[in-house]
Amino acid sequence: MKIVIIGGTGLIGSKTAERLRKHGHEVIAAAPNTGVNTITGEGLAKALENAEVVIDLANSPSFEDKAVLEFFQTSGKNLTAAEKAAGVKHHVALSIVGADRLPDSGYLRAKVAQEKIIRESGLPYTIVRSTQFMEFLGGIAQAGAVGDTTRLSTGNLQPIASDDVADFVAEAALAAPANGIIEIAGPERARLCDFVARYLKAIGDSRAVVPDPQAPYFGTKLEEGSLVSDNKPSIGRIDFNRWFATAPRK
Ligand SMILES: NC(=O)c1ccc[n+]([C@@H]2O[C@H](COP(=O)([O-])OP(=O)(O)OC[C@H]3O[C@@H](n4cnc5c(N)ncnc54)[C@H](OP(=O)(O)O)[C@@H]3O)[C@@H](O)[C@H]2O)c1
């Protein structure tokens, strides 16, 4: 069948496209640099012609509070309207575990707004909520960095490798719409500060990590369970050591 992946050139999008093509599906990797833009609407109707499934894996170019909200709202509205016009039968989107528990984070508010547009669109849908990608550990370290130390939350993290995320997203796209949320997570849970310290040690970065229950995580304070799921999420196969052994170094 024809499957359109919005953000099909990104980290998760390109891996999901590869998996679905291996299953013999016709996959369009849609993104501004392939002529499809969900903000301007450019190329959208043409890309969606005869598509049965659309997977939204786009991300905002800016994480600033107002810009990110505008991105997910405009993109979500344009995309769901175009899907309805094209007769798409299943909309799949990737969101974040705990997004609705952390309204002080502008990025997570934007993901909640994206989810609402999907739920209210009338399209059959599956929202896959994932924990943080292992590929994002460096970004988390950077966000907490002040000089030679990095002050990080003691809330729990259960990161998942992008290869596992792509497996789960591809599986969801080929299954019947859940018309609800499914959750996915990595195999190991530890305090965010401890996971990042492990990552920094592994890459030979000597910066000290200071555990701080008050340290903000992208604009919000975390409770112990804010970013993890206890709703029996599907668990990825790749643990930190296995991921790190094959992860591309920047
Ligand atoms: N990072 C995490 O830990 C995490 C956890 C759970 C869920 N998520 C979610 O996972 C999703 C995918 O993240 P990712 O890291 O794979 O993203 P990414 O690598 O940054 O890729 C983003 C993709 O979106 C495309 N895009 C940007 N603007 C667009 C537009 N106007 N129209 C169409 N496509 C557009 C980009 O195309 P160009 O390259 O051409 O700009 C690119 O293909 C995001 O929705 C994110 O919220 C992330």
Side-chain angles (χ1 to χ4, degrees):
M1 67 180 159
K2 179 174 169 183
I3 302 174
V4 176
I5 304 183
I6 306 293
T9 59
L11 173 68
I12 307 298
S14 54
K15 289 174 186 267
T16 304
E18 190 188 304
R19 283 154 174 76
L20 291 168
R21 285 190 183 119
K22 269 194 194 143
H23 276 91
H25 298 288
E26 179 196 351
V27 178
I28 307 290
N33 62 21
T34 68
V36 183
N37 190 319
T38 53
I39 298 298
T40 63
E42 183 202 349
L44 197 50
K46 178 96 188 98
L48 295 186
E49 270 173 18
N50 302 316
E52 289 191 42
V53 177
V54 171
I55 311 175
D56 186 4
L57 300 173
N59 208 354
S60 171
S62 164
F63 285 15
E64 185 274 322
D65 285 5
K66 190 162 170 279
V68 72
L69 182 64
E70 237 169 70
F71 177 87
F72 280 112
Q73 282 185 324
T74 307
S75 177
K77 282 181 193 157
N78 289 344
L79 181 57
T80 51
E83 285 178 47
K84 281 205 272 188
V88 168
K89 297 186 183 71
H90 188 185
H91 177 97
V92 179
L94 187 56
S95 188
I96 301 179
V97 165
D100 51 348
R101 290 194 285 257
L102 296 164
D104 289 344
S105 157
Y107 189 84
L108 296 179
R109 280 200 302 276
K111 295 301 286 183
V112 169
Q114 178 193 18
E115 290 187 359
K116 183 167 184 276
I117 290 165
I118 296 166
R119 274 198 312 276
E120 294 175 355
S121 69
L123 288 162
Y125 71 92
T126 304
I127 293 171
V128 180
R129 278 191 181 175
S130 170
T131 54
Q132 285 58 47
F133 309 155
M134 291 205 197
E135 287 76 2
F136 193 46
L137 287 169
I140 297 175
Q142 211 42 48
V146 186
D148 283 345
T149 60
T150 176
R151 189 168 287 278
L152 292 170
S153 168
T154 51
N156 278 331
L157 201 69
Q158 196 165 333
I160 180 168
S162 58
D163 280 314
D164 280 334
V165 177
D167 283 343
F168 286 127
V169 170
E171 194 180 299
L174 298 178
N179 293 315
I181 293 170
I182 61 176
E183 294 192 315
I184 64 174
E188 297 167 288
R189 183 181 291 193
R191 296 191 309 173
L192 183 150
C193 53
D194 296 334
F195 239 120
V196 172
R198 189 173 170 192
Y199 171 79
L200 290 176
K201 187 166 176 225
I203 62 168
D205 185 322
S206 59
R207 264 179 298 171
V209 169
V210 180
D212 179 357
Q214 306 302 324
Y217 172 80
F218 295 95
T220 188
K221 178 177 172 291
L222 299 179
E223 302 301 330
E224 185 182 337
S226 298
L227 291 178
V228 293
S229 168
D230 287 323
N231 299 326
K232 298 197 174 69
S234 297
I235 301 292
R237 296 161 298 121
I238 304 169
D239 64 13
F240 178 84
N241 285 343
R242 190 168 148 207
W243 169 75
F244 191 77
T246 54
R249 303 282 182 270
K250 282 199 178 151

